[in-house]
Structure formats: C-alpha cells, structure tokens
Amino acid sequence: MIFLPHIYLIINWIQGLARVSFERYLQQTGSDFGGLKPMWREDVSLTISIFLCYGVLVCLLHLMPFDFIIASCKGRKERLSFRLNVMKGGRRILRLCFWGILAQPFLYLFRLYRIPLHFINGSHGWILFLDGLFTFLFFYLLVINGSLRILCTCRSLGVWKRALFFCFLWIPVVHLFPLKYLSKRAKIELDAEICRFENHLKRDGAMICATRYPILLLHGIGFRDLQYFNYWGRIPKELVRNGAVVYYGHQEAWGTIENNGQVIREKLKEVLAENHCDKVNIIAHSKGGLDARYLISGLGMDEHVASLTTISTPHMGSELLNILNRLPDRVYRFVSSLFDKSYARFGDANPDCYHASKQLSPGFCQEFNQKYPDSPRVYYQSYASYVKHVLGDPMLSIPNLLMRLLGASQNDGLVSVPSAKWGRFKRVFVSTGRRGISHGDMIDLKREDYKGFDVIEAYVKIVAELKEMGF
C-alpha cells in the first residue's frame, strides 16, 4: 500500500536501468545498435509483465477480503453472512488506505525518489506529475470501494447519514474525513454481530427465554405498535428465537393512563385465552410502565400479571414537565391539539396529548404512586440508563441539557435515573464509550450497536432471569 501506487515511476526506473545497462553493453563490446531491437522487445515485455502483476494486485485489493469471518463455539464453526464479510473487507480497505496515504508525504519528504531519477528518461517533473496522478487514482478508487461497501452493508447507519456520506464520497480529499467514522461504525457492528452469532451457536436449542408465561411488551408515549416499524427494534425477534412468546399491548400513543389501561386489559385477556394460561409477564418502556401499574392496581388485574419489568419509566415523573407546565395553558393546549389530530390518523381513537403528557409530571406521579400501590401478587423490577454528555444523543440533546440544568445530572434525555427506580432496581445501563445510553437506545429505536452495550443481549438476559425465577 506504500509503494504499489507508484507503478509508473517504478516502470520508468526499471526502463532507465535497462537503458543504462544496454549502453554499457555497447561500450564494452564496441558493437553497433544491432542489439537494440531485441533489447527493446525485452523492455516492452518487462513493462507488460509489470502492468499485469500490478493489475492482479489491484484487483485483489478491490475484491478483499480473502478470508471470511468464522464464528466458533464448542468445536463448531460457521461462516457469517456475506453482508458482514463485505463490510469487513470495506473496513480493511479503508484502514490500508489510511496508512498508505499517511506514508506518502514521508516518501516525498525524505526524497526517496531522488536516487533513481537519473535513470529516468524525460523530464523529472513530468514523470513525478504522472506518478502523483497514478497514486491519487489508486487511493481514490480504493476509498470509494471501501466506503460504498460500508454504506451498503452497515445497518446502524441512518438514512440521512448514508445520504450525507454518499454526497461527500465523490469529492477528493473531503471524502477522507468521514472515513474514520465509517470504519468505527463498521467495527462496532461487526463486533456485536460476531458476538451475537457466537451466542446463537452457544445457545443452540437451549430456549433460555422460554418463560412460563407469555411476554407482553408495552410501548411508551408518542408511539404505537406499528406493523412496519417495530417500536422495540430487533429485540422481539431475538426473544422469539430464544423461545419467548411475545405480544404487544397496542395501547394508544397519546392515550391517558386510564384509557391505555383499559386497552391493555382487553389485549391481556386475548393473550390469556390464546395461550390457555392465567398470567403474563409485562415488560414496559417509559410511560408504558405507568399504564401497566394502573392495569395491575387500578383495574384489579394483578392476579393475571406475574411480573412487571419497567425500562426507563418515570415513576417519580420527568423534570421536563416542570418546564412545560410553565408555558401558557392556551399554547400548551393548542400544540396538544395538533398532536391529537396527527395521531388520530395513525390509529389513536381517543388521543389526549394534553392530559397524557401532564400525567408525566412529578406532582401527578406522586399522587399516582399513593393512589395505586404495588400489589403483593406481582414481582416488580426496574432498569435505567443515562447519557454521558449533552451531545450523546443528538435527538435528545436539548431535553438532556434542560434536565441537567434542573439538577438531574444522570438522565437518558427524558427520564432521570432516580425516577426510573421502582420495585427491585436491577441496574443502570451505560456504554463504555463516550456516548452513553439514551431513552430511545433502550428500545433499539435506531437499530444501532454501541461499544460496551448490546441492547438485544440485555433483553435476552432480562427474560432469561424471569424464566429462572419461575415466571
């Protein structure tokens, strides 16, 4: 990757050496130019041979990798998908280009080309210009190859990121800046996918998520259980793969706690009848946890709920509502009415953004906790997460900053860690990188993998623990 781009200079150097050798031959033998024709043929043959070898090497670089990713466990080895191998090759190409480009200035700086220049026929400047052009094209095409591989295969890149990178990809020099980010995203996804695949091999047939009772997933505020966009991302599929029976609450996006509780109760009855069982395990995210607690204590469905696991639920309310409540009531109601009209088109029968959002305030949650205490028949547990800095999740940077100003230093952008604690608090999820884990990351909203945190594996362990506890 350091010397291969300089094929034009190398060929001219070899040709120069050949000419010097031929001239010395003429001087020593004293013969005429009768040997010029055979020597010229050898010169052309050598040039063609070098170009053929060069072409083969370049093609091999563009077709990388040569070795395919293999995952192994207990003596069993399997090859990962073609998509991951293509992405691995793209990342390797970018890394090679990085070191190759980094070495080029040093080659010119230490003037390594000055030694053979007197062998080159023609203007030194013209030769060096053509050499530089070949070098540029060599790395430019490889960078495009590696970048396109990652853009086409890396699932964790959003649509707008792909579009942005694709636009800058064709601009020389400028396209070098996003290479580090692309390579980083590819590495994180590769590590996560390989680890996940090895877990599949390890758990082959183990059914570690085959709980005694079905799993009922309850979404948070502002979303619905849509068919083509799963609120829970890749999580349900992995739970089912490991033996879980999964259902969705189908409550409304902007329904009040009381209204959503009624909707969930009807869905719970359907699940019980379909599975011929008497209880379910509920896993709820955000406001879904409050909906579930009302279902259990307010509607008397505790005899049909074995466990309630809440993820980032504002049991003590969200500090953001203290700011929103300072808005003029007319403005608040007007904005809420716009949400109601929009979500009515997505299936909400009784959207009530005004009251549903107000129910997340600390004052309301305090009254709610007193009015609906936990049932001794149900096992309660909770989890939380937080973002390490304001720009950790750009989508929630402003709410995160506001909550920090209000004293909630550890928050996921919408809910603080203390507010998410309820029942038996298990742990706080956080990545090993600088980003942290946001409110949306806990449901795999962006379908991204983060360093030191696998959201899919986290839910597998949660459900596996429920199975071990007899639920």
Side-chain angles (χ1 to χ4, degrees):
M1 293 298 292
I2 297 177
F3 297 100
L4 191 60
H6 305 281
I7 183 64
Y8 189 81
L9 188 64
I10 293 174
I11 290 177
N12 276 272
W13 181 25
I14 294 175
Q15 289 175 343
L17 288 173
R19 292 189 188 95
V20 171
S21 300
F22 178 62
E23 290 175 359
R24 289 178 180 174
Y25 166 78
L26 294 179
Q27 293 175 0
Q28 292 175 0
T29 60
S31 63
D32 55 10
F33 288 89
L36 179 61
K37 189 173 183 180
M39 193 67 190
W40 175 80
R41 289 178 178 176
E42 293 179 6
D43 192 19
V44 173
S45 300
L46 182 62
T47 302
I48 294 175
S49 300
I50 294 175
F51 264 114
L52 286 176
C53 293
Y54 175 78
V56 171
L57 289 174
V58 172
C59 288
L60 289 176
L61 283 173
H62 280 276
L63 294 175
M64 195 180 297
F66 318 119
D67 57 321
F68 291 91
I69 308 175
I70 302 294
S72 61
C73 181
K74 299 180 180 179
R76 179 182 173 187
K77 296 183 178 181
E78 289 194 18
R79 179 180 294 183
L80 267 70
S81 65
F82 177 76
R83 177 184 70 86
L84 294 180
N85 284 289
V86 171
M87 183 164 60
K88 176 191 175 185
R91 182 173 180 272
R92 181 176 292 181
I93 288 174
L94 292 184
R95 291 184 66 189
L96 289 174
C97 286
F98 171 77
W99 292 112
I101 294 173
L102 190 64
Q104 299 310 310
F106 292 97
L107 291 179
Y108 287 99
L109 180 63
F110 291 103
R111 313 179 91 175
L112 296 181
Y113 294 121
R114 290 191 61 183
I115 299 174
L117 282 181
H118 65 278
F119 294 121
I120 299 177
N121 185 28
S123 171
H124 296 171
W126 177 249
I127 296 299
L128 291 179
F129 171 76
L130 291 178
D131 176 70
L133 181 62
F134 270 94
T135 303
F136 168 78
L137 292 175
F138 177 86
F139 285 113
Y140 180 70
L141 294 176
L142 277 176
V143 166
I144 291 179
N145 184 344
S147 300
L148 286 177
R149 285 181 180 223
I150 296 177
L151 288 174
C152 294
T153 57
C154 188
R155 292 175 176 172
S156 62
L157 291 173
V159 176
W160 71 272
K161 288 182 181 179
R162 295 177 195 272
L164 185 64
F165 288 143
F166 187 80
C167 292
F168 284 103
L169 180 62
W170 311 100
I171 306 176
V173 181
V174 176
H175 71 321
L176 298 177
F177 292 97
L179 294 188
K180 182 178 179 181
Y181 180 83
L182 288 178
S183 181
K184 179 182 178 182
R185 291 306 319 166
K187 183 181 186 303
I188 292 175
E189 185 166 332
L190 279 171
D191 291 343
E193 291 284 356
I194 292 173
C195 181
R196 207 167 288 140
F197 193 81
E198 290 176 347
N199 287 334
H200 292 166
L201 297 179
K202 188 187 303 181
R203 299 168 181 161
D204 188 21
M207 307 295 281
I208 63 172
C209 293
T211 53
R212 180 181 179 184
Y213 305 112
I215 304 294
L216 183 61
L217 299 177
L218 304 183
H219 64 73
I221 196 169
F223 288 87
R224 289 190 61 88
D225 294 314
L226 301 176
Q227 180 179 359
Y228 300 106
F229 180 79
N230 196 313
Y231 177 85
W232 300 88
R234 301 165 291 177
I235 297 168
K237 184 178 180 180
E238 189 67 19
L239 295 180
V240 172
R241 183 201 294 268
N242 286 280
V245 179
V246 178
Y247 291 88
Y248 303 98
H250 292 292
Q251 71 271 34
E252 298 189 357
W254 291 102
T256 61
I257 293 176
E258 295 78 12
N259 181 66
N260 281 350
Q262 297 287 347
V263 175
I264 298 171
R265 181 173 65 174
E266 297 305 315
K267 183 61 183 179
L268 190 152
K269 291 179 180 179
E270 294 179 12
V271 174
L272 297 179
E274 184 175 333
N275 290 271
H276 305 287
C277 58
D278 57 345
K279 291 184 179 182
V280 299
N281 294 304
I282 296 179
I283 298 179
H285 177 252
S286 192
K287 179 177 171 289
L290 300 180
D291 296 340
R293 286 177 52 201
Y294 175 76
L295 169 78
I296 295 169
S297 302
L299 299 180
M301 297 296 288
D302 53 340
E303 60 179 331
H304 297 300
V305 178
S307 67
L308 171 61
T309 302
T310 58
I311 312 290
S312 304
T313 294
H315 295 285
M316 306 300 172
S318 175
E319 290 80 355
L320 285 176
L321 269 298
N322 292 332
I323 297 177
L324 295 178
N325 286 335
R326 296 176 184 176
L327 295 174
D329 191 65
R330 290 184 179 180
V331 175
Y332 202 124
R333 288 183 180 276
F334 174 73
V335 175
S336 299
S337 66
L338 296 179
F339 277 93
D340 293 342
K341 293 178 181 179
S342 300
Y343 277 82
R345 301 175 182 176
F346 289 100
D348 273 20
N350 300 293
D352 191 351
C353 176
Y354 180 82
H355 291 97
S357 58
K358 291 282 187 177
Q359 289 179 336
L360 299 178
S361 65
F364 177 88
C365 288
Q366 184 177 1
E367 296 179 2
F368 179 86
N369 295 337
Q370 295 175 355
K371 188 175 181 180
Y372 302 107
D374 292 346
S375 171
R377 295 181 177 181
V378 180
Y379 171 72
Y380 295 83
Q381 65 177 5
S382 57
Y383 295 84
S385 68
Y386 69 90
V387 179
K388 292 184 177 180
H389 58 86
V390 175
L391 299 178
D393 188 344
M395 292 179 59
L396 297 174
S397 59
I398 296 179
N400 182 274
L401 175 61
L402 294 176
M403 293 187 69
R404 287 173 181 269
L405 295 176
L406 292 174
S409 58
Q410 288 191 341
N411 71 85
D412 61 8
L414 293 176
V415 180
S416 64
V417 171
S419 182
K421 295 181 179 181
W422 193 260
R424 183 181 179 184
F425 183 69
K426 301 299 287 289
R427 63 171 296 185
V428 177
F429 290 110
V430 63
S431 65
T432 56
R434 294 176 298 174
R435 185 183 190 281
I437 303 302
S438 71
H439 196 75
D441 298 335
M442 284 307 304
I443 53 167
D444 197 28
L445 184 65
K446 297 181 180 179
R447 278 67 169 167
E448 292 187 15
D449 297 305
Y450 303 105
K451 186 177 181 180
F453 174 71
D454 188 341
V455 64
I456 302 175
E457 189 66 16
Y459 278 84
V460 169
K461 291 181 179 179
I462 289 173
V463 177
E465 290 177 0
L466 290 176
K467 178 187 176 182
E468 292 177 0
M469 296 174 66
F471 297 123

